[in-house]
Amino acid sequence: MENLLHTNKNFEKETYVDKKVNYQEFEDCVFKNCDFSNSDFSNNTFMDCEFIDCNLSMTQLAGTSLKTVHFKDCKLLGIQFHTCVDFLFGVSFQDCVLDYSSFANKKMPKTKFNSCSMKEVSFIGTNLTYSIFENCNLDKAIFNDTQLAGVDFTTAHNFKIDPESNPMKKAKFTTQGIVGLLDKYDIKIE
């Protein structure tokens, strides 16, 4: 990864643990079975890229652009997505572990989260309008002043959301999910 511009490249089984990779551009690249944990990927640009079976846990992304980036089967523990560039921010996740990550104040409508573990993820001030949480574990995820209009939570589980603190017009839930909306009232539903 010594070049500054990478186009249509495949990176496989690369290991950059505890290293810095900064001020580089990646377009139409695929990263497969790579370990970038505890690395500094600040100020990079990823456009139309895919990460498959990669470990990016605790990777720093300050000032990084993620433009249409798909993560599949990735470990993304503690990623501070809120430090990424807002312009054209677009991500999707399938079968990923996103525990302890933060999307605070990000504008990410229509984002797809499919079969992800999202324990204690922060969505404070996030715009998730019309996003989908398909079969996601949202245990202790933080929703506060989060735009949830039209969001699909029908197969999500373990969430607790305060409808008074989060606009959620036309959001979708199952009858089992209602419990997560009434948690603050400390009532029992049988």
Side-chain angles (χ1 to χ4, degrees), residues 125-143:
T126 308
N127 181 344
L128 290 166
T129 307
Y130 295 104
S131 292
I132 298 171
F133 289 92
E134 185 176 330
N135 194 34
C136 291
N137 182 359
L138 294 163
D139 188 33
K140 297 181 184 166
I142 303 165
F143 295 92

Side-chain angles (χ1 to χ4, degrees), residues 104-164:
N105 299 309
K106 295 307 286 179
K107 288 181 176 72
M108 44 194 302
K110 299 181 181 175
T111 300
K112 292 183 181 173
F113 300 92
N114 187 340
S115 299
C116 294
S117 177
M118 305 180 76
K119 296 175 186 172
E120 297 188 42
V121 172
S122 174
F123 291 109
I124 297 171
T126 308
N127 181 344
L128 290 166
T129 307
Y130 295 104
S131 292
I132 298 171
F133 289 92
E134 185 176 330
N135 194 34
C136 291
N137 182 359
L138 294 163
D139 188 33
K140 297 181 184 166
I142 303 165
F143 295 92
N144 191 8
D145 196 29
T146 308
Q147 300 294 321
L148 298 173
V151 174
D152 188 341
F153 287 103
T154 54
T155 59
H157 49 283
N158 296 328
F159 57 85
K160 292 180 181 173
I161 303 170
D162 183 352
E164 294 177 22

Side-chain angles (χ1 to χ4, degrees), residues 50-93:
E50 188 170 16
F51 290 84
I52 303 167
D53 198 26
C54 293
N55 183 358
L56 291 111
S57 295
M58 301 304 293
T59 298
Q60 295 177 37
L61 298 174
T64 294
S65 292
L66 298 177
K67 303 173 182 178
T68 317
V69 177
H70 179 67
F71 297 91
K72 182 178 180 184
D73 296 312
C74 290
K75 192 173 179 181
L76 299 144
L77 292 168
I79 301 294
Q80 303 302 303
F81 289 100
H82 69 269
T83 65
C84 292
V85 173
D86 289 330
F87 184 69
L88 296 177
F89 182 81
V91 291
S92 62
F93 303 92

Side-chain angles (χ1 to χ4, degrees), residues 138-143 157-166 168 173 175-189:
L138 294 163
D139 188 33
K140 297 181 184 166
I142 303 165
F143 295 92
H157 49 283
N158 296 328
F159 57 85
K160 292 180 181 173
I161 303 170
D162 183 352
E164 294 177 22
S165 301
N166 300 282
M168 56 176 55
F173 299 91
T175 51
Q176 291 88 1
I178 299 284
V179 174
L181 299 174
L182 302 174
D183 185 66
K184 80 173 198 170
Y185 300 110
D186 196 26
I187 58 175
K188 295 192 185 258
I189 302 171

Side-chain angles (χ1 to χ4, degrees), residues 34-56:
C34 297
D35 189 354
F36 302 130
S37 58
N38 295 308
S39 295
D40 184 350
F41 274 33
S42 297
N43 300 303
N44 288 320
T45 298
F46 295 92
M47 187 163 67
D48 299 321
C49 291
E50 188 170 16
F51 290 84
I52 303 167
D53 198 26
C54 293
N55 183 358
L56 291 111

